[in-house]
Amino acid sequence: MLRLGPALLARLARLAPLRRWGAAAAGGGEEQERFVFLEYEPDPAERAAAAALRRELKPKPRRGRGAAAAVPSLSDPSVPPSGVSCSGCGAELQCGDGGAPGFVPAEKYRSLLSEGPAALRGAVCQRCWALAHHGSALRLRLPPDRHRRVLSAALRRPPRHGRGPLLLYVLDVMELPDPVLPQLPALLGPDVPAAGVLVVGNKVDLLPADCRGHLGRLRQRVAEACARAGLRGAALVDIRLVSAKTGFGVEGLVSRLQRSWKCAGDVYLLGATNSGKSTLFNTLLRSDYCKSRAPDIIDRATVSPWPGTTLNLLKFPIINPTCDRIFRRQERLKQEATKPEDQLSSEEKKHLNQLKKQGYVVGRVGRTFQQQKSCSEIDFDPDMLSYSMDEDPRDPPKKHEEREEFTHNEVKDARWCFDTPGIVKEDCVLNLLTEKEVKLVLPSHAIVPRTFILKPGMVLFLAALGRIDYLEGEKPAWFSVLASNLLPVHVTTLSNADAVYEKHTAQEFLKVPMGGEERMKEFPPLVPQDITLKGIDTTEAVADIKLSSAGWVAVTAHAEEELLLRAYTPKGTALVVREPPLLPYISSIRGARIPGTPAYRTKKPPSFVEDLRTMGSR
């Protein structure tokens, strides 16, 4: 195998940004500039993910026999459904219809049946397998209201243990105002025996701190959204901010649930698609909130950027927070909070460093109550170590491992935490995108803000999914883009904007959507909406222009300066003017102005680990 030296690898890694910049300059002349990140270089993990995605987007030659082929989809309608749910998405496993949820190829399905019920209970469907191993989503023929029916039926179950369930509504803070939250009171209704709603603001790790106390301000924004949706008073139990991915705030959420809700009834995770419900479900499964043996018995939910991954109910049993368990848990948390960073093990440091690259705020989720695993005996067969000169060595036959199961006493009176199907957001740009485009649009790492200073008559493109024209104003204004780091930003003049869109849409220059002219025949055109704003101060944004789920642009202008803007999003998607903005001081997170361009150098704030003593200041 050919090995490249570190210096050569570093030079090759820098070639891609240079090629992108050169193509931008050649394609549009001096007035057109395309900004991905001129100063900020993504961390190695993010760069590797982007490189892998670029390789995936390249056209692949047809493969012959022996190469990786498409996922088989042979069905057998004569075989009845199993009655067992997929451990990844909750759909009933079956091999009769390749386009329906829970499908398993017939040959694999029969093999699982022959191994016994335990093998089938630990299996995943073809769709979850493709999501987990290839990151690709198989299209399913689902009725539009399928997810809502499953959720509605689950919420209207008769109360168990004499008390209705607690609802954990998971909300993506970047999607504020949440489009599904106003539907929650109607979805509950008088016939739903819910005991209350605890709102969880998720994905706070992706947003940089624009000033001190930004998390408190984010919580206030969530509280205002709940009040506008009619969710207040006794019905609103609490509001918590977490990152299900990096673990920030999860220990506090567990403590809040155990302190107030205890083990009074079941808990349901609700929320829109892509809000992070399944990620939070998996994190809680590895925490003190579930029974100690549950992580070894229950498989994790399938997590994917593709909307609507969870198709039915998934669940794990909740641990009973007795006084002794709460005391032992608090002792563990106190001990971990006083441990300095230099006393962490090498594995803990490596894990934290990986999380720091992915988010701005990081937490450590531990387990106080872990089932002690007994050391299994090693079977030794001396005959397997000897063989004659005329025969080849033989591999020992693989023994079928028995899958652990809950005992009757463990689950007969258990309270359960359910992961429910996500409620599909209407007027969302993600509904128009392919799975490869969704991977580019949804941010997977901490967002680095990109700030530009524009004069009247200039235009800003966010890929080909959003456009903002600065039509009228006396002075320049600052436009800070908060979107996936993989989406390009392009600045041009108003006179050239239409030509740039016609020439570069569905091409590498604007990146999303992709696929050339054929793709654009089915993609809706951009439609405009005029916006009038009045500036507050040169350091404080007046509003966010939210371009559906593609991201938003925070507008900062001089005091009392009136701006006339025209924003565009694809037809059928929502364009929202968010006042007050989510991060009003975001324009301060920038470097020096790049000479000869409207762009500022990017700057990535440092990450912060919750409840961890560091040798230096934060």
Side-chain angles (χ1 to χ4, degrees), residues 57-279:
L57 299 180
K58 288 182 179 179
K60 298 179 175 60
R62 297 183 62 88
R63 300 176 182 266
R65 184 177 179 182
V71 181
S73 60
L74 299 178
S75 59
D76 186 354
S78 64
V79 181
S82 64
V84 179
S85 298
C86 168
S87 60
C89 67
E92 183 182 18
L93 296 176
Q94 51 87 23
C95 66
D97 187 355
F103 176 74
V104 178
E107 183 179 354
K108 179 67 176 177
Y109 187 82
R110 295 192 189 94
S111 174
L112 291 171
L113 286 177
S114 64
E115 295 178 15
L120 199 60
R121 280 195 290 272
V124 296
C125 66
Q126 175 179 277
R127 180 173 182 264
C128 288
W129 186 88
L131 282 168
H133 292 84
H134 297 287
S136 60
L138 304 180
R139 293 283 187 175
L140 299 179
R141 299 189 300 271
L142 286 175
D145 58 344
R146 167 67 183 269
H147 292 72
R148 193 177 295 272
R149 288 205 312 268
V150 173
L151 178 59
S152 179
L155 294 180
R156 282 164 174 78
R157 289 176 176 175
R160 300 172 67 241
H161 315 292
R163 190 171 184 182
L166 174 69
L167 307 182
L168 254 64
Y169 184 81
V170 184
L171 176 150
D172 184 351
V173 294
M174 297 189 299
E175 289 291 320
L176 287 173
D178 184 77
V180 177
L181 190 59
Q183 306 174 26
L184 196 57
L187 184 66
L188 298 179
D191 57 337
V192 175
V197 180
L198 194 154
V199 177
V200 180
N202 192 24
K203 301 187 181 182
V204 295
D205 60 302
L206 298 177
L207 299 180
D210 60 332
C211 67
R212 251 182 215 281
H214 81 291
L215 290 178
R217 188 177 61 246
L218 285 177
R219 188 181 185 279
Q220 180 62 29
R221 297 286 187 268
V222 175
E224 293 169 357
C226 292
R228 287 193 298 269
L231 196 61
R232 57 172 68 88
L236 182 60
V237 176
D238 197 2
I239 297 173
R240 310 291 297 192
L241 297 183
V242 305
S243 167
K245 184 176 182 180
T246 67
F248 176 82
V250 174
E251 290 284 18
L253 174 63
V254 172
S255 297
R256 179 69 170 90
L257 289 169
Q258 293 183 341
R259 186 173 59 250
S260 60
W261 184 244
K262 301 184 185 299
C263 202
D266 296 332
V267 175
Y268 284 82
L269 294 176
L270 310 179
T273 53
N274 290 117
S275 60
K277 294 188 309 346
S278 295
T279 305

Side-chain angles (χ1 to χ4, degrees), residues 208 447-454 460 462 468 477-483 489 538-541 543-547 551-557 578 581 583-590 598 600:
I447 296 175
V448 179
R450 291 169 275 182
T451 298
F452 306 85
I453 183 168
L454 303 185
L460 182 146
L462 177 60
I468 298 179
W478 292 265
F479 294 75
S480 301
V481 179
L482 287 104
V489 177
T538 56
T539 60
E540 182 178 356
D544 293 333
I545 301 177
K546 187 171 175 292
L547 305 169
W552 73 87
V553 178
V555 182
T556 305
R578 187 163 53 197
L583 302 173
Y585 307 102
I586 193 65
S587 65
S588 62
I589 305 179
R590 66 177 191 242
Y600 289 85

Side-chain angles (χ1 to χ4, degrees), residues 525-564:
L526 298 181
V527 294
Q529 177 179 327
D530 287 354
I531 301 169
T532 302
L533 301 174
K534 180 179 287 188
I536 299 176
D537 189 76
T538 56
T539 60
E540 182 178 356
V542 57
D544 293 333
I545 301 177
K546 187 171 175 292
L547 305 169
S548 189
S549 294
W552 73 87
V553 178
V555 182
T556 305
H558 292 81
E560 302 300 320
E561 176 75 10
E562 290 193 0
L563 310 179
L564 176 60

